[in-house]
Amino acid sequence: HKISHIHAFCTPAGTIAYLLKKLTFTHLVIDSFEPHAENMVENGEWSIHSKAYKILNFFEKHQTRAASHIIGTTSKMKEYAKNRFHHDIKSFFVKPAGVDIQKFNPTHFDKQTLRNQYKVPKDAIVCVYIGKFGGIYYKEEIFQWLKAAQDYWKEKFYFVVGTPLSKEEFNNLAQKFQINLDYVLFESYIPHERVPEFLAMADFGLNPVKPLPTKRYCTSVKDGEYWAMELPVLIPPNISDDSDLIKEKGLGVIWEDTSYEGCLKTCESMDKLLKSENLPEIKKEIRKLAIEIRAFENFEKIYQTIYGQ
């Protein structure tokens, strides 16, 4: 079929693509480029002495050097490749996890109607989190934060969560941390097409990614979806480019300390932001951020640059 380019998403697929490139003399494009091998070690999935780590680490270096174009998930991946693989990428683009800004649009929803539908109090301070517990995310730390949030906002605080964690395990951890489940809306599965309506009920979003070293170079789907729905984000430091953007622009709160006292501090900061007289303008800036750096339309320009000729 006279194929001229092999386009691989992430470095595990890039390994196969690299071998194919060598066999077929085609051009190699690595998309969604982030540190997979090192991240698997940090998460405890692989040992640094494992065959899986050694193989992928070896091929990450070679595909980085062999690729005609690399599309990183963060701007920092160019520096990462230079330091780790001793290669200065010539053709480099940045494409974080994208969001459909038409589908994730707060003007399509009425917050009060949705809250009534799901029996969430109208005047509640609502935090939403749709994701996993454990692995690359905090687990018990989330419940520590929930305890602090309930203590801070009292009966005004409501937590909307959609997670594959079993309800039994969720309730056991909630009991351990003395969480009042009367103020928790738990969903074991939320189809992606329904995610916007759950976000539309909220006042802010939680992104509890563990701040491991490689997370500085990865991307987070959640933040783009939160931003598109005008939600301030509570996030640990050094997550993707997102933590820096949130801190610099004042569009959320950085969760630096997972102790009870540290969690209380984030609640105070978020409360101050939500009560700000500039909140309408802040929400517009949050939505603008999603449009400028996460909208799918922006990524078309990258592919046009690579394949346009």
Side-chain angles (χ1 to χ4, degrees), residues 101-148:
I101 57 170
Q102 306 305 324
K103 179 179 177 181
F104 286 80
N105 188 331
T107 62
H108 295 167
F109 305 92
D110 181 74
K111 179 182 286 190
Q112 298 307 327
T113 300
L114 286 169
R115 288 191 177 188
N116 290 340
Q117 181 181 337
Y118 290 99
K119 299 180 180 178
V120 175
K122 287 185 178 181
D123 61 345
I125 301 295
V126 179
C127 172
V128 65
Y129 173 57
I130 299 175
K132 297 178 181 179
F133 288 71
I136 67 170
Y137 301 99
Y138 283 142
K139 189 173 186 179
E140 294 203 350
E141 294 88 346
I142 299 174
F143 289 89
Q144 178 78 282
W145 182 83
L146 284 175
K147 173 60 177 170

Side-chain angles (χ1 to χ4, degrees), residues 203-259:
D203 295 294
F204 65 98
L206 172 64
N207 187 359
V209 180
K210 292 178 183 175
L212 300 171
T214 58
K215 288 304 170 190
R216 181 181 289 273
Y217 308 104
C218 300
T219 187
S220 178
V221 175
K222 291 178 183 60
D223 291 335
E225 294 177 348
Y226 289 153
W227 292 341
M229 295 298 291
E230 299 184 344
L231 296 180
V233 179
L234 174 63
I235 189 172
N238 301 320
I239 305 300
S240 187
D241 292 329
D242 301 356
S243 298
D244 291 342
L245 285 168
I246 288 168
K247 186 175 182 178
E248 289 168 11
K249 296 176 178 291
L251 305 180
V253 174
I254 305 302
W255 184 11
E256 299 194 34
D257 180 2
T258 58
S259 70

Side-chain angles (χ1 to χ4, degrees), residues 8-199:
F9 284 84
C10 301
T11 59
T15 297
I16 299 169
Y18 168 78
L19 295 172
L20 287 170
K21 170 201 163 43
K22 289 295 182 181
L23 290 170
T24 59
F25 304 102
T26 48
H27 291 285
L28 175 63
V29 180
I30 304 295
D31 204 332
S32 302
F33 181 62
E34 58 184 16
H36 191 85
E38 192 176 4
N39 183 244
M40 291 293 279
V41 171
E42 287 181 354
N43 290 337
E45 301 288 338
W46 292 351
S47 161
I48 199 169
H49 303 294
S50 66
K51 289 182 180 179
Y53 169 75
K54 290 178 179 178
I55 290 169
L56 185 56
N57 185 57
F58 173 84
F59 279 107
E60 282 185 342
K61 177 176 70 174
H62 285 280
Q63 62 189 272
T64 301
R65 293 177 174 181
S68 300
H69 309 279
I70 289 182
I71 306 170
T73 53
T74 71
S75 59
K76 301 180 182 74
M77 274 306 294
K78 194 172 191 292
E79 177 189 353
Y80 178 89
K82 188 172 184 178
N83 293 335
R84 186 170 178 82
F85 304 131
H86 310 292
H87 178 69
D88 190 9
I89 302 170
K90 301 303 180 185
S91 181
F92 181 80
F93 306 88
V94 179
K95 190 199 75 175
V99 62
D100 185 338
I101 57 170
Q102 306 305 324
K103 179 179 177 181
F104 286 80
N105 188 331
T107 62
H108 295 167
F109 305 92
D110 181 74
K111 179 182 286 190
Q112 298 307 327
T113 300
L114 286 169
R115 288 191 177 188
N116 290 340
Q117 181 181 337
Y118 290 99
K119 299 180 180 178
V120 175
K122 287 185 178 181
D123 61 345
I125 301 295
V126 179
C127 172
V128 65
Y129 173 57
I130 299 175
K132 297 178 181 179
F133 288 71
I136 67 170
Y137 301 99
Y138 283 142
K139 189 173 186 179
E140 294 203 350
E141 294 88 346
I142 299 174
F143 289 89
Q144 178 78 282
W145 182 83
L146 284 175
K147 173 60 177 170
Q150 287 195 344
D151 288 347
Y152 181 82
W153 279 294
K154 309 297 183 185
E155 68 279 355
K156 284 185 69 69
F157 179 74
Y158 211 92
F159 186 53
V160 175
V161 58
T163 178
L165 188 73
S166 72
K167 191 166 186 179
E168 181 182 7
E169 187 175 0
F170 183 92
N171 289 349
N172 288 340
L173 283 164
Q175 185 177 13
K176 177 181 176 181
F177 285 87
Q178 300 179 314
I179 306 300
N180 189 338
L181 291 171
D182 291 339
Y183 299 93
V184 175
L185 172 60
F186 179 94
E187 294 282 339
S188 59
Y189 173 67
I190 299 176
H192 192 254
E193 60 268 18
R194 291 183 60 207
V195 169
E197 68 184 69
F198 280 86
L199 301 192

Side-chain angles (χ1 to χ4, degrees), residues 263-304:
C263 293
L264 269 180
K265 187 176 179 181
T266 66
C267 296
E268 293 171 5
S269 299
M270 186 60 74
D271 193 44
K272 183 178 179 181
L273 189 153
L274 295 176
K275 289 178 178 176
S276 168
E277 61 181 18
N278 297 322
L279 185 59
E281 288 74 26
I282 292 171
K283 286 186 173 184
K284 288 179 183 177
E285 283 299 309
I286 292 171
R287 169 87 176 160
K288 182 181 175 184
L289 190 62
I291 294 170
E292 289 179 349
I293 68 173
R294 293 297 190 99
F296 290 138
E297 290 80 358
N298 298 332
F299 306 153
E300 293 175 6
K301 299 171 186 176
I302 295 173
Y303 299 121
Q304 286 168 357

